[in-house]
Amino acid sequence: WIFSGAIDRVDGAPQSGDPVRVTDAEGQGLGFGAWSPQSQIRVRMWTFDDETPVDDAWVCSRLDDALALRRRLVLDDDTDCARLVFGEGDFLPGFICDQYADTLVLQCQSAGAERIKELAAAHLMKETGAVRVVDRSDAEVRKLEGLPLHSGVLRGAPLEGPIVAKERGVRFFVDVLKGHKTGFYL
């Protein structure tokens, strides 16, 4: 995280969520992050690689890496719910995606996460075979980013009641629209 007081100058006029190149005082590239003009955390770093730009292909690659890890460590015949993407831990600060059976639930808690939401929803839906994506971007922290709160089905099939998800063979009824955070404490 780069706080507003640590920034000497901004070249250009980046918009909320735009990827920006970060340099040190001598102009040496440090990597790329997401710009957040209203937050005290002005930049959330996406990469410390100054050579690879943060574009759609980069975002999809990070999502694919996160999915591969969760498929290897968590998801199996007895478990169809898991945190698929975990923000900074998967190099996508502020972006969370949980899977509950055939439903994905997103939380976008930063300007950068909000910027990639549509791309990520489409990519994750395709890669997981989910029938719907629900957006639970209703956490109060969004106000610090200058982002509105919202919640509802983002894409796919309408939602009719709770989702039935399995964790280690135990079935849970998950209310992804009104339950805890994304619907359930995984």
Side-chain angles (χ1 to χ4, degrees):
W1 292 353
I2 301 175
F3 288 85
S4 60
I7 296 175
D8 179 49
R9 74 176 195 281
V10 178
D11 295 333
Q15 300 301 302
S16 181
D18 281 354
V20 293
R21 182 172 180 259
V22 177
T23 63
D24 64 17
E26 284 78 41
Q28 182 69 34
L30 300 175
F32 292 88
W35 179 252
S36 183
Q38 294 188 24
S39 175
Q40 288 297 316
I41 305 170
R42 206 52 52 94
V43 177
R44 286 176 171 82
M45 295 300 290
W46 280 345
T47 177
F48 295 97
D49 171 3
D50 191 46
E51 301 298 319
T52 307
V54 174
D55 57 14
D56 290 358
W58 183 90
V59 171
C60 290
S61 178
R62 296 294 68 72
L63 294 169
D64 290 342
D65 289 349
L67 284 174
L69 178 64
R70 279 26 173 242
R71 286 176 174 151
R72 187 169 36 101
L73 296 178
V74 180
L75 297 170
D76 58 28
D77 291 339
D78 290 329
T79 300
D80 64 2
C81 57
R83 175 143 295 169
L84 298 181
V85 184
F86 187 46
E88 282 82 353
D90 289 310
F91 302 102
L92 294 167
F95 185 83
I96 293 168
C97 178
D98 289 344
Q99 179 176 355
Y100 302 102
D102 62 359
T103 300
L104 301 177
V105 183
L106 307 180
Q107 274 192 331
C108 297
Q109 299 175 341
S110 69
E114 185 69 21
R115 183 180 183 280
I116 67 167
K117 177 172 58 179
E118 290 292 339
L119 169 67
H123 187 75
L124 290 167
M125 197 170 185
K126 179 182 70 127
E127 293 300 316
T128 64
V131 300
R132 79 184 55 80
V133 177
V134 173
D135 183 6
R136 280 293 303 273
S137 297
D138 53 2
E140 292 290 318
V141 70
R142 286 178 57 88
K143 291 180 180 178
L144 299 174
E145 294 283 312
L147 300 171
L149 307 183
H150 49 84
S151 179
V153 176
L154 181 63
R155 60 174 54 218
L159 190 58
E160 299 176 14
I163 304 296
V164 179
K166 294 184 305 183
E167 189 173 36
R168 301 292 170 232
V170 179
R171 291 176 27 169
F172 295 94
F173 293 88
V174 181
D175 183 348
V176 297
L177 290 176
K178 296 181 183 156
H180 178 71
K181 295 188 180 188
T182 64
F184 182 69
Y185 188 77
L186 289 165

